């Protein structure tokens, strides 16, 4: 990034967390990512066009990976690099991981049922999880994590820290990315382990729960993890913008917008508004505001 | 209340906090209160039919009180007692309060801008507030309070406790009702001052922030004060149902539903969903569920 006075220039920005969706929605939103970014890491909690969404939980095979990459490339053209992820499963073998490694940037862990399309996720306490993480460590495959437990909504990320700590200790060479962190607790944990990394969204650098539910209720700022307390916002901003304060974490933090579009009728609804903020097309404006 | 096995009987239940609204909405919702309750305390943050809502902030005169009472009585018939409140203003004089006293049950304090129709409210730090409270103490007029400060949404009630404590100490004979309390902090404060009383809604005995924003976002459970943490819910339930635990507060707690209907399009909206749960017609079912 170059910076001169009040202006700054981003060279080849990359979005390290995006939901391209699939089908018609993908055709609309993937080009918006490509308009702003030179590449992006696509999340795997999606069943690509041509696969059976009643049986598949997400991208769990090389065939699905290839189909999904093709769907993205077809929508965005050549000047954009989609980086692929696989949906973590405890059934993955060494042979499978060796075969799939050249085709992916990372494997994404979803706690079962914690967010949109995560019913096929795993229990972080399952001992089988660690076995796959150890294989990934050996093979040099990056782990991305949606780090929330069940329990009270404002405590879910804080309570997941124990899992990050355990995995970081047990697999010291495994590169672990704490996705879309939102709390002071996460910044503290990130600072303590050399092999922990993190993404932060632009909206979590701008809003707290006050913006979602402090005045009128705002479904378009509702996302998972939910925006937290003012002290959490300040901690995230310090980590990203005050190099002097948080030297040990700044180089481990990446931008990941977690851009997650929903149809309007699923955001403005009586029976439950879906979680997700879509912002891949306006993210640099957001950043400039911060 | 009579209780036999799994059933219980409520004799002449009274709702100590309800928003009757005005005009067409009143005609719909006031009869719902009358169908369940023998009487109810109507909130004054409303401009009755026939008055100018662009200049009036709420019910601040005897003429408005009478007009509003007539509007309610016309809608519900004779078997229901509407109890009237006045919108607290620092301009109220002893003469005015003496004159209005026979026509009201209480005066309601709204912190400026904290909730629906409270732009005409007062700053609780304004020294003029205490002068009016001292007059009310002398005259034996009850004070009802929407007890929230500005600031982070989950802390607003907690931070208002200092005002309750100051007023309870300065005016030891003033009966103060902490309206729709939602937190462990409020229960602790209630226990400490003999002249503090409280209302609790049925929904705050049932839900936490998890029900509003823990899964999908639920605009119909969004209200002010917002539902809080699980430990707050347990504290409210203990105070209401476990006589042994909270002997000193149980007799000071009343049911106040804070039933606050909005048109559907203001609850399910892109640009902000209004706060308020309407429940005057189903409140006894809620109570039985708890």
């Amino acid at each position: 990034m170059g910076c001169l006075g009040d202006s700054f220039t981003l060279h080849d920005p990359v979005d390290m967390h995006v939901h391209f969706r699939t089908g018609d929605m993908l055709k609309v939103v993937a080009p918006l990512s490509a308009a702003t970014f030179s590449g992006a890491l696509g999340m795997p909690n999606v069943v690509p066009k041509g696969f059976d969404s009643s049986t598949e939980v997400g991208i769990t095979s090389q065939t699905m990976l290839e189909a999904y990459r093709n769907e993205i490339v077809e929508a965005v053209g050549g000047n954009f690099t989609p980086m692929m992820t696989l949906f973590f499963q405890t059934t993955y073998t060494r042979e499978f991981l060796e075969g799939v490694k050249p085709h992916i940037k990372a494997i994404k862990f979803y706690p079962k049922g914690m967010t949109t399309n995560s019913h096929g996720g795993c229990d972080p306490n399952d001992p089988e999880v660690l076995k796959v993480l150890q294989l990934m460590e050996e093979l040099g495959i990056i782990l991305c994590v949606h780090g929330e437990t069940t329990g009270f909504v404002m405590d879910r990320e804080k309570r997941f820290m124990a899992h990050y700590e355990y995995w970081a200790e047990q697999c010291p060479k495994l590169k672990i990315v704490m996705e879309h962190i939102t709390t002071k607790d996460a910044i503290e944990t990130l600072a303590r382990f050399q092999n922990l990394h993190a993404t932060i969204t632009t909206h979590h650098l701008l809003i707290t729960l006050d913006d979602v539910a402090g005045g009128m209720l705002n479904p378009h700022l509702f996302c998972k993890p939910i925006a937290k307390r003012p002290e959490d916002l300040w901690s995230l901003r310090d980590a990203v913008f005050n190099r002097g304060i948080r030297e040990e974490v700044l180089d481990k933090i990446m931008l990941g917008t977690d851009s997650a579009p929903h149809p309007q009728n699923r955001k403005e609804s009586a029976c439950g508004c879906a979680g997700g903020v879509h912002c891949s097309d306006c993210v640099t404006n957001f950043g400039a505001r911060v």
Side-chain angles (χ1 to χ4, degrees), chain A:
Chain A
M1 185 172 92
C3 182
L4 183 67
D6 288 339
S7 75
F8 61 90
T9 308
L10 293 171
H11 301 289
D12 294 331
V14 173
D15 184 350
M16 291 308 286
H17 188 132
V18 69
H19 295 272
F20 289 122
R21 303 304 193 205
T22 185
D24 289 343
M25 177 74 96
L26 181 143
K27 286 182 193 151
V28 174
V29 300
L32 299 176
S33 280
T36 299
F37 296 98
S38 63
L41 188 71
M43 291 298 119
N45 56 338
V46 62
V47 177
K49 217 171 57 178
F51 292 84
D52 183 355
S53 63
S54 69
T55 53
E56 303 290 350
V57 298
I59 297 174
T60 54
S61 71
Q62 202 164 315
T63 337
M64 291 175 90
L65 266 174
E66 274 163 30
Y68 195 41
R69 186 201 302 272
N70 291 340
E71 206 186 334
I72 300 165
V73 170
E74 224 169 80
V76 298
N79 284 324
F80 178 79
T81 309
M83 290 175 282
M84 307 306 290
T85 58
L86 202 66
F87 196 109
F88 186 99
Q89 298 282 275
T90 54
T91 49
Y92 291 159
T93 61
R94 173 186 294 273
E95 293 63 37
F96 172 76
L97 292 172
E98 279 172 347
V100 86
K101 188 187 162 184
H103 307 284
I104 58 173
K105 186 77 181 172
I107 296 181
K108 173 75 180 267
F109 180 93
Y110 286 97
K112 195 174 177 64
M114 265 317 301
T115 190
T116 311
N117 300 335
S118 66
H119 57 281
C122 301
D123 176 358
N125 293 304
D126 180 350
E128 298 299 314
V129 168
L130 191 63
K131 290 183 188 166
V132 178
L133 296 187
Q134 284 164 338
L135 286 173
M136 289 169 60
E137 182 184 25
E138 266 183 65
L139 297 169
I141 298 174
I142 296 170
L143 173 72
C144 291
V145 182
H146 181 114
E148 289 193 289
T149 64
T150 52
F152 184 60
V153 62
M154 296 295 278
D155 299 343
R156 288 175 190 168
E157 183 171 290
K158 180 191 179 77
R159 291 182 145 199
F160 201 90
M161 292 303 122
H163 298 297
Y164 281 129
E165 288 169 14
Y166 180 67
W167 294 344
E169 275 167 2
Q170 294 295 312
C171 306
K173 288 183 180 151
L174 176 66
K175 201 177 231 186
I176 303 172
V177 182
M178 307 161 74
E179 293 278 21
H180 45 55
I181 58 172
T182 61
T183 57
K184 194 166 181 283
D185 302 284
I187 296 289
E188 299 302 328
T189 304
L190 175 63
R192 284 177 45 222
F193 294 90
Q194 151 276 333
N195 57 330
L196 288 185
H197 299 252
T199 61
I200 300 183
T201 72
T202 31
H203 50 282
H204 286 121
L205 290 171
L206 284 165
I207 66 172
T208 68
L209 184 66
D210 269 345
D211 299 284
V212 185
M216 305 281 258
L217 195 67
N218 190 334
H220 292 284
L221 294 181
F222 173 60
C223 58
K224 299 190 174 191
I226 201 160
K228 301 294 190 310
R229 301 181 54 91
E231 52 269 35
D232 293 308
L233 177 68
W234 303 332
S235 185
L236 297 179
R237 288 185 175 183
D238 265 353
V240 171
F241 298 109
N242 292 345
R243 182 170 277 275
I245 294 181
R246 282 293 185 190
E247 195 79 39
E248 75 278 25
V249 301
L250 184 57
D251 294 337
K252 303 203 293 175
I253 294 175
M254 298 165 283
L255 168 67
T257 65
D258 197 5
S259 196
H262 291 279
Q264 187 169 359
N265 65 354
R266 293 208 52 228
K267 289 297 279 182
E268 300 160 19
S269 162
C271 60
C273 313
V277 173
H278 181 254
C279 57
S280 59
D281 52 336
C282 50
V283 65
T284 46
N285 290 335
F286 274 14
R289 270 183 57 194
V290 179

